[in-house]
Amino acid sequence: MAASIRLKSMLALVTGGGSGIGRAVCHRLSREGASVIVVDVNLQSANDTLQSLSRDLPGQQHAAFTADVSQSDSVRTLMEQIQSCFSAPPRVAINSAGITRDDFLLRLSEESFDSVLSINLKGPFLITQAVARAIVATGQNGGSIVNIGSIVGKVGNLGQCNYAASKAGIEGLTRTTAKELAKFGIRCNTVLPGFISTPMTDKVPQKVLDKFAGMVPLGRLGQPEDVADVCAFLASDDSRYITGASIEVTGGLHM
Ligand code: NAP
């Protein structure tokens, strides 16, 4: 089935675009006509995504940059690079960069707690702030920020108190930025995936994944495309009256 073209002439930035959900989002947005800025800490994987993007529409221009979303200097440099490549700032930003450093609370190191909070929570803060500032500076309203949270932020998960805290924090960040940025026509929403097959979940033993799949009412683990489709909807004008929302993409887990 041909994808709809809802994002023609839209410039979209996707963090974590070199892998998993972020890569699927880049593919989906480019098929919908967006020009995509692929951002990842790993430049090779960002470039691999860049090579695989759709270029079917005239004027579609994609780019890949390396950045560490947890570092303000790196995000500042990223925005300068974008400014030198494109005539206007991105109006869509999807924050998908994220990590896990799992361990039980009684053993979890301070370093593992800090690194997960820095990348998963401070990263979306820095990107949202930078993109929103750039949009506001144009004097022209309009934009959509989509943060990838997790169902784990709502329900918790053994061995993931750092990750669950970061993902719960994302929802508070998003609801607040939604309130503050509404007057600039910038919508902010969170997507809460359940268990999605990506390199992140490749670390989980197969028998554990099989157990999780058995708990999902729809009977399977999610695919990155299941999440990307919802991100494309939230990026597009089809979701024009939705802001501050959290949308679960879990196959019905934890309802
Ligand atoms: P993934 O395949 O590991 O992709 C994450 C990407 O982010 C990787 O390319 C990673 O690079 C990059 N990254 C890591 N640290 C970064 C940094 N400081 N700056 C920029 N990029 C960085 O994971 P995924 O499963 O697609 O996860 C995407 C998002 O969905 C994450 O926020 C995750 O928490 C969330 N999520 C995933 C699931 C799931 O089941 N997969 C469920 C709920 C939520 P490296 O590989 O080089 O580290």
Side-chain angles (χ1 to χ4, degrees), residues 15-23 39-42 45-46 66-71 74 95-101 118-120 147-152 163 166-167 191-203 222 224 227:
T15 75
S19 180
I21 292 169
R23 176 172 282 176
V39 177
D40 205 283
V41 73
N42 181 331
S45 63
T66 181
D68 179 345
V69 296
S70 67
Q71 302 294 322
S74 183
N95 284 304
S96 186
I99 61 165
T100 53
R101 294 285 182 272
S118 283
I119 294 170
N120 294 9
N147 292 319
I148 308 298
S150 170
I151 193 67
V152 162
Y163 184 80
S166 74
K167 295 302 186 180
V191 175
L192 308 181
F195 295 105
I196 312 295
S197 298
T198 71
M200 186 179 269
T201 46
D202 284 350
K203 294 175 209 155
V227 182

Side-chain angles (χ1 to χ4, degrees), residues 109-144:
S109 70
E110 184 177 350
E111 194 279 328
S112 293
F113 187 87
D114 285 347
S115 57
V116 167
L117 268 288
S118 283
I119 294 170
N120 294 9
L121 183 55
K122 185 180 165 194
F125 155 68
L126 290 173
I127 293 284
T128 301
Q129 187 182 57
V131 169
R133 281 177 172 164
I135 291 173
V136 170
T138 66
Q140 279 187 305
N141 284 357
S144 174

Side-chain angles (χ1 to χ4, degrees), residues 31-234:
R31 285 205 312 279
E32 294 234 19
S35 290
V36 177
I37 301 164
V38 187
V39 177
D40 205 283
V41 73
N42 181 331
L43 184 58
Q44 181 59 52
S45 63
N47 276 327
D48 289 347
T49 299
L50 176 68
Q51 298 311 320
S52 60
L53 296 179
S54 296
R55 291 169 171 78
D56 293 344
L57 291 187
Q60 263 188 307
Q61 183 200 346
H62 309 302
F65 298 109
T66 181
D68 179 345
V69 296
S70 67
Q71 302 294 322
S72 55
D73 286 353
S74 183
V75 171
R76 198 172 306 116
T77 304
L78 169 70
M79 295 308 288
E80 286 164 5
Q81 289 171 314
I82 292 171
Q83 203 175 12
S84 66
C85 266
F86 296 92
S87 54
R91 296 251 163 206
V92 168
I94 316 283
N95 284 304
S96 186
I99 61 165
T100 53
R101 294 285 182 272
D102 296 353
D103 213 338
F104 290 106
L105 171 71
L106 298 184
R107 291 201 302 246
L108 189 70
S109 70
E110 184 177 350
E111 194 279 328
S112 293
F113 187 87
D114 285 347
S115 57
V116 167
L117 268 288
S118 283
I119 294 170
N120 294 9
L121 183 55
K122 185 180 165 194
F125 155 68
L126 290 173
I127 293 284
T128 301
Q129 187 182 57
V131 169
R133 281 177 172 164
I135 291 173
V136 170
T138 66
Q140 279 187 305
N141 284 357
S144 174
I145 313 279
V146 180
N147 292 319
I148 308 298
S150 170
I151 193 67
V152 162
K154 269 185 143 174
V155 300
N157 196 25
L158 292 174
Q160 291 199 310
C161 67
N162 50 356
Y163 184 80
S166 74
K167 295 302 186 180
I170 281 276
E171 289 189 77
L173 172 79
T174 310
R175 284 194 280 266
T176 302
T177 56
K179 287 186 174 179
E180 292 187 11
L181 297 176
K183 65 178 176 222
F184 302 109
I186 302 172
R187 298 181 295 105
C188 305
N189 293 289
T190 314
V191 175
L192 308 181
F195 295 105
I196 312 295
S197 298
T198 71
M200 186 179 269
T201 46
D202 284 350
K203 294 175 209 155
V204 179
Q206 190 57 45
K207 70 173 192 220
V208 177
L209 290 176
D210 290 345
K211 190 175 149 222
F212 284 145
M215 290 158 55
V216 177
L218 287 181
R220 64 171 174 87
L221 297 180
Q223 294 302 313
E225 293 72 22
D226 296 324
V227 182
D229 289 356
V230 178
C231 293
F233 164 70
L234 288 172

